[in-house]
Amino acid sequence: SVTTAATIASNVNAYAITQNTVTNANNSNYDITFVDGTLTVNRRPVTVTADDKTRVYGDANPTLTFAVAADGTGTSRGMYNSQSLSGAVTTTAGSSTNVGNVSITQGTVTNANNANYDITYNNGTLAITARPITLTADNRTKVYGD
C-alpha cells in the first residue's frame, strides 16, 4: 500500500503520496524502486443562486436570500461537512424603482474566507409589480342648465 497525509477534510493543496508497505518481500523476481507521487486537492465547485423575489412598487425590498447547491451538471457538489458561505446578495432596486425586473447580484457572497471552494454565481430576479390603487370619483350635483 501507499500513504498520504491528505484526508477527506484536507484543504486545497498538494500532498505527497509515499511508500508505505510496498516491498518485494513476497516476490524476489522484482527489484522495486518507489517514486513518490502527489495527490492534489482541488477547490470544490459550488453554485450560489440568488432566490427570485417579488415586491409591489413603492414597498421596501423583501429580504434577499441565496441558496448553495449542486448545479445538476455533476460538477458542483454543494458545501462540504455542513459548512456555509457568508455574505449577502444585493440589488440596486429602491422603493421608487419602476415596475419591471431587476437583477439580484452576488453582493458580498464570496469564498474570501475559505479558499477551498470555487464559486459559480447565478443572479436572481426581483420582480417589481404594479401597485394596485382604486380611484373613486367624488359624487357631485348640479342644477339643470348650469
Side-chain angles (χ1 to χ4, degrees):
S1 72
V2 295
T3 188
T4 182
T7 68
I8 192 169
S10 292
N11 291 322
V12 169
N13 206 344
Y15 298 88
I17 300 172
T18 58
Q19 180 177 357
N20 187 12
T21 60
V22 175
T23 66
N24 64 346
N26 294 328
N27 194 330
S28 60
N29 292 322
Y30 298 97
D31 185 15
I32 296 175
T33 301
F34 187 85
V35 178
D36 289 348
T38 302
L39 173 66
T40 302
V41 177
N42 294 317
R43 288 180 174 198
R44 185 180 189 90
V46 295
T47 300
V48 174
T49 302
D51 298 320
D52 292 336
K53 299 290 183 168
T54 302
R55 75 160 170 85
V56 175
Y57 173 80
D59 288 352
N61 286 337
T63 300
L64 302 177
T65 56
F66 64 91
V68 178
D71 63 9
T73 66
T75 60
S76 178
R77 297 177 181 94
M79 302 298 286
Y80 168 70
N81 199 25
S82 301
Q83 292 176 340
S84 62
L85 292 175
S86 61
V89 292
T90 189
T91 183
T92 58
S95 62
S96 63
T97 302
N98 292 330
V99 170
N101 292 332
V102 180
S103 288
I104 300 172
T105 59
Q106 184 172 354
T108 60
V109 179
T110 67
N111 65 344
N113 294 326
N114 195 333
N116 290 321
Y117 295 97
D118 186 17
I119 297 174
T120 299
Y121 185 81
N122 294 320
N123 286 343
T125 300
L126 174 61
I128 302 171
T129 61
R131 183 172 204 83
I133 60 173
T134 301
L135 299 176
T136 303
D138 294 336
N139 295 325
R140 299 285 186 215
T141 61
K142 92 175 193 90
V143 176
Y144 176 75
D146 285 352

